Amino acid sequence: LTHCECCFPCGTLAKPDGRDMAYMAELLELIEAGGVPAPAPIEQRWTSGSSSALSPAASAEPGALFSWVGIIMYLPTDDVEQRRRITTAFDAYKRACEARLWPKFGAVEHWAKVEAATPEAAAIARDRLRARFGGALDAVA
């Protein structure tokens, strides 16, 4: 199983802003336009804000609402070449989400679960996380 989960704000419990549904609509467009063999269903869940400074759902706002979206691809084979092709396809799928959706929706993955395959990808992830968490990230880096 290859997977990635991101989190982004979507209003408050009293006043959801619809960004959660807009994200899913755009994710489905990305999947269809790119011919991504994404399994269904796509996981989506919601949480309230967290008081933890490094939580992707960190918020001091009472009633803050966050959406979490998980994307996956299964690795149903022991064949090394097939697993490599699936992993490569997943990496492209994740990069497309990171480039097209995450900046627009303010999404981040959990800082402790970031996997960057290249120094360039690591720099992009670091910048995205630093923009979201600021100095709090430096305490664990």
Side-chain angles (χ1 to χ4, degrees):
L1 175 70
T2 54
H3 72 285
C4 175
E5 184 177 60
C6 71
C7 176
F8 55 94
C10 56
T12 65
L13 291 171
K15 190 174 181 183
D17 63 16
R19 292 165 49 84
D20 49 351
M21 296 296 105
Y23 184 98
M24 293 305 288
E26 291 192 32
L27 176 59
L28 291 174
E29 288 174 12
L30 182 146
I31 289 167
E32 291 172 359
V36 176
I42 295 172
E43 177 192 8
Q44 184 175 31
R45 60 188 171 84
W46 294 262
T47 62
S48 57
S50 172
S51 61
S52 174
L54 288 177
S55 169
S59 178
E61 182 178 348
L65 182 63
F66 290 81
S67 178
W68 297 74
V69 176
I71 59 171
I72 64 170
M73 281 190 184
Y74 295 103
L75 296 167
T77 177
D78 290 330
D79 181 276
V80 173
E81 179 57 24
Q82 286 180 337
R83 291 176 71 88
R84 185 196 63 74
R85 288 195 318 262
I86 294 167
T87 300
T88 298
F90 179 80
D91 290 344
Y93 177 28
K94 180 184 174 197
R95 281 193 313 274
C97 291
E98 288 174 330
R100 297 180 197 160
L101 300 177
W102 292 12
K104 180 176 182 177
F105 291 91
V108 294
E109 60 189 316
H110 192 284
W111 58 269
K113 296 181 180 181
V114 174
E115 294 182 25
T118 66
E120 296 80 16
I124 291 168
R126 218 176 1 262
D127 290 346
R128 181 175 48 250
L129 292 168
R130 185 154 280 109
R132 177 75 169 266
F133 298 113
L137 186 63
D138 294 331
V140 297

